[in-house]
Structures are given as structure tokens and as C-alpha cells.
Amino acid sequence: MREPLLRLSNVETFYGPIRAIRGVSLDVHQGTIVAVLGANGAGKTTILKTISGVMDPLKGAVVFEGREIQGEDPDRIARAGIAHVPEGRETFPYLTVRQNLLMGAYARRDRAAVPGDLEMVYGYIPRLRDLSQRVAGSMSGGEQQMLAIGRALMSRPRLLLLDEPSLGLSPRLVGEVFELIRRLNGETGLTILVVEQNAGTALATCHFGFVLELGRIVMEDTCENLMAKDDIKEFYLGMK
Ligand code: ATP
């Protein structure tokens, strides 16, 4: 099998004395959608922060495209091709949609390609073109989630990290966000690592899933298989 695009090996990350993730090992293969599922506080956000360099692991390795990146600055990791859409979206509220999108391309060297990528984002998320002159802070939660994803795409990532994209959205909007995730992966081959509490929607979208409990991976399988296991759905994922 080919080397994974991203590999976490035995990663441990702490908040002071609190060990938030405990010996986590996981692979993300090129061109796949991978989900990390688990309850509140399981450590999902910490895994993404550890990958994007917002937090440094105390132990273990994070290998992206064959290179160890743990301990590097978030800025360097972003330039290496990893875009992180954090929980709560964190768009720039006083900037317009277009300005927010262009901020996503700030580190790009190939400036000439930026207008084309703006069109690509508008093509995937037409609502952003309609709202391009609106300030982000005046938009709905779903629109801001779409904007945060669009802004991440403007950096032309090879790996997109999404933290709870369904949080606070109506079921219809959750459907739209996950449809966008499916299309981006299916049409551009973008590799996506998504963490979610909304296990049903994530399992219906992902190829491979990891179930996290109290900082440890307790189960890993194809999403199809995870979907088929009623006990997993009930005990770990809070689904009936
Ligand atoms: P949520 O869905 O609520 O964000 P999560 O699965 O993403 O949950 P994390 O946010 O990664 O979980 O938290 C993992 C553990 O680390 C939890 O026990 C949490 O209480 C703890 N933790 C998170 N942030 C901090 C912090 N800033 N200081 C201390 N402990 C923290």
C-alpha cells in the first residue's frame, strides 16, 4: 500500500497535566475522507490542533508527505499544504466575504492563480458569490461555515482539516456542508480529515473512521462497517 498522506504515530498531547490524547496512531490516505468521531471532550479538537501545529505533542510523530512536522509553527505547516478550519469557523467578521476568501490565499506564491481559485470557490459555493460584498459577521452560521471552508480552499491545501462543521447548523445546512465535502473530495480528489459529534452524517460521507474515547482510539474501520455495527453506534456514538 502507498505511504499515507498523513500519519500520526503514538501521539500524546497535554493541556498542562491533562493528557488529552493518549497514544493516538492514525493514517489518512490520499484522496479519502476520514472521520474522527467521539463524544464531547474525547480529544477530537486536540488531534486537529496537534496536526496543524496549534499544539505541540509531548510524544509521538506527525508525518505529512513523508516529513515529520510535529513542533513546527502553524504558519509553516499551513504553507506545507494543511488547511485547518477550526470549530466556530473564525472568519474575519468585519471583512467582506471576498476579502475573507483572499485572506486564505495570503501565503500563496503563485499570485497569478488566485483569481482563478476565487472563481473555483464561487463555483463550488455559489452563495459566496452572491454574498461577496457582505461582511462575514452579518451572515448566518451555515454561510460562515461555507465561507470558512472556502477560505481554506484558497490556500490550495493538499489536506483539509474540518472541526465539527455541523456545529450549530440546521439539518438542511448540515446536509449542504457534507454534500460540499463529498463533491470536493469526489471532483478534486482533495483529502479531508473531519472530526464530528454528528456521527450519522459523518459516517454516511466518510471512507474510513476512527472512534475516539477519552483520548484513545477504541475502534477503526471503514465507515460502511462502522455504520453496520449497532453496538458501536449506541455505545460510542450516541446513535440509536
Ligand atoms: P468538543 O467536541 O467538546 O470540542 P473534543 O472531542 O474536541 O470535544 P477536546 O476539545 O480535544 O475534545 O478536549 C479533550 C480533553 O482536553 C477534554 O478533557 C478537555 O476538557 C481537555 N481540554 C481541552 N482544552 C483544554 C484547555 N484549554 N485546558 C485544559 N484542558 C482542556
Side-chain angles (χ1 to χ4, degrees):
M1 204 177 205
R2 269 196 309 165
E3 281 290 294
L5 180 68
L6 176 80
R7 167 167 283 170
L8 268 59
S9 302
N10 205 19
V11 168
E12 311 233 319
T13 306
F14 288 69
Y15 294 93
I18 300 167
R19 191 156 54 128
I21 58 175
R22 304 163 178 240
V24 165
S25 296
L26 62 82
D27 285 355
V28 176
H29 287 278
Q30 175 90 45
T32 60
I33 303 174
V34 172
V36 175
L37 308 166
N40 227 323
K44 304 181 298 299
T45 295
T46 307
I47 288 183
L48 294 193
K49 287 181 173 170
T50 304
I51 297 168
S52 66
V54 175
M55 295 189 70
D56 291 338
L58 213 62
K59 275 173 56 179
V62 179
V63 178
F64 179 62
E65 295 183 326
R67 189 170 73 79
E68 287 196 20
I69 58 168
Q70 75 277 1
E72 287 186 3
D73 286 343
D75 186 48
R76 179 131 193 253
I77 293 175
R79 284 169 204 266
I82 299 180
H84 184 177
V85 178
E87 197 174 338
R89 295 123 203 178
E90 296 181 16
T91 55
F92 300 104
Y94 301 112
L95 297 185
T96 65
V97 165
R98 185 169 181 281
Q99 288 167 334
N100 264 278
L101 291 173
L102 291 175
M103 288 298 277
Y106 81 98
R108 298 261 303 266
R109 285 168 196 272
D110 53 339
R111 305 304 305 172
V114 171
D117 285 352
L118 195 59
E119 282 306 308
M120 178 271 294
V121 169
Y122 286 154
Y124 274 102
I125 319 172
R127 187 116 187 86
L128 295 183
R129 189 197 300 276
D130 302 339
L131 295 170
S132 64
Q133 298 308 322
R134 276 272 290 278
V135 291
S138 71
M139 304 198 311
S140 72
E143 290 162 350
Q144 290 195 37
Q145 183 63 60
M146 294 294 197
L147 174 57
I149 295 174
R151 192 179 59 188
L153 294 176
M154 289 297 292
S155 68
R156 284 235 187 155
R158 288 188 297 287
L159 174 64
L160 180 63
L161 308 177
L162 298 175
D163 196 344
E164 302 255 5
S166 76
L167 200 73
L169 302 188
S170 68
R172 185 177 60 81
L173 286 173
V174 172
E176 280 183 27
V177 169
F178 275 87
E179 179 55 29
L180 175 63
I181 291 171
R182 246 191 301 271
R183 281 187 60 207
L184 286 170
N185 169 259
E187 293 171 20
T188 72
L190 179 62
T191 309
I192 300 173
L193 176 59
V194 56
V195 313
E196 261 299 338
Q197 269 188 62
N198 187 337
T201 311
L203 283 176
T205 308
C206 63
H207 300 113
F208 205 86
F210 294 87
V211 180
L212 198 66
E213 192 187 40
L214 300 175
R216 285 185 203 285
I217 289 172
V218 290
M219 190 85 51
E220 58 187 272
D221 208 335
T222 63
C223 291
E224 202 178 344
N225 286 346
L226 289 173
M227 278 276 247
K229 294 179 185 163
D230 285 339
D231 52 339
I232 294 174
K233 288 199 291 191
E234 197 169 331
F235 293 124
Y236 292 119
L237 305 176
M239 300 162 71
K240 288 275 156 113

